[in-house]
Amino acid sequence: MARSKEFDRDEVLDSAIEIFREHGYEGSSTVMLVRAMGISKQSTYDTFGDKWKLYCSAVQRYVAGEVAQHLKVLREQPTALAGLEKLIERVILHANHACLGVSSICEFGKSRPELNQIHDAARPVIQQAIVERICQAQEAGEIAADLDPNEAAGFITANIAAIRIAARGEADFRSLTAIGQMTIRALKP
């Protein structure tokens, strides 16, 4: 009779996420991952499959969590502009910790269909939420009415990635804040 797993799948996956965030796929050894997850190599393979499948599971969990947090911050603010500002502020506050979503794109580009599927599912969700807040901010006169909401949302998400990449390159908090402030300023009438 097979033994039941004596660990929480999400907890060990969160530990793998931390390793992949810091070292990327190529830089994360199986030994590092198994040690961080606190389970045996065999349990890792039995639960997640090979290293690539573990990585995809980690990216999936990480991206889903980030999208949920982005949506929450965007929607819980009293005004649309405040939601957009808080979204960028959240990114800046957490930028000292590598983003697995951006890192996976930097490491693999569009070369891996499994990752493309994860990113392609998440992208329109956050894009649409940002577009909605931009439209609301335009109606309130907080954002320039002549901006195309989809283009403006693309500009915001590109600057979010830029903040995260700049932080990875050891840009200081002041520099990251300046990028965020300039992003919002560019949208105003």
Side-chain angles (χ1 to χ4, degrees):
M1 177 165 37
R3 291 179 42 200
S4 64
K5 292 180 174 63
E6 298 179 14
F7 57 86
D8 182 290
R9 184 183 190 281
D10 291 338
E11 284 181 16
V12 298
L13 192 53
D14 288 342
S15 297
I17 287 170
E18 292 308 310
I19 297 299
F20 286 131
R21 283 175 83 170
E22 187 58 34
H23 303 283
Y25 176 77
E26 289 298 329
S28 299
S29 70
T30 303
V31 171
M32 292 164 65
L33 290 160
V34 168
R35 186 177 303 132
M37 293 187 306
I39 61 175
S40 70
K41 187 175 182 179
Q42 188 60 50
S43 290
T44 300
Y45 286 115
D46 289 347
T47 305
F48 300 104
D50 61 15
K51 180 181 163 186
W52 178 249
K53 289 178 184 170
L54 172 61
Y55 182 74
C56 289
S57 294
V59 172
Q60 175 67 49
R61 180 167 170 79
Y62 178 82
V63 168
E66 278 296 290
V67 167
Q69 288 300 311
H70 284 347
L71 295 176
K72 181 178 182 221
V73 167
L74 270 170
R75 293 175 176 159
E76 71 183 5
Q77 304 311 311
T79 69
L81 183 60
L84 295 167
E85 289 171 335
K86 282 292 186 184
L87 170 65
I88 292 172
E89 181 181 309
R90 177 185 179 274
V91 171
I92 292 166
L93 290 173
H94 297 282
N96 64 333
H97 206 85
C99 172
L100 186 55
V102 171
S103 296
S104 67
I105 292 168
C106 290
E107 190 167 1
F108 293 101
K110 295 290 280 180
S111 68
R112 301 302 291 258
E114 304 92 339
L115 291 179
N116 296 341
Q117 186 176 11
I118 294 166
H119 293 300
D120 292 347
R123 189 175 299 109
V125 174
I126 193 66
Q127 175 83 7
Q128 185 57 39
I130 293 172
V131 166
E132 288 171 10
R133 287 309 249 174
I134 289 169
C135 290
Q136 293 165 357
Q138 286 176 317
E139 289 172 14
E142 299 172 312
I143 289 181
D146 63 339
L147 292 177
D148 177 278
N150 284 300
E151 290 175 3
F155 176 73
I156 290 170
T157 56
N159 280 288
I160 286 172
I163 289 166
R164 289 177 160 167
I165 293 168
R168 197 72 174 146
E170 298 186 6
D172 62 16
F173 183 77
R174 184 176 160 278
S175 298
L176 301 177
T177 300
I179 296 169
Q181 289 171 342
M182 291 179 76
T183 301
I184 295 298
R185 188 177 316 142
L187 302 173
K188 292 185 176 180

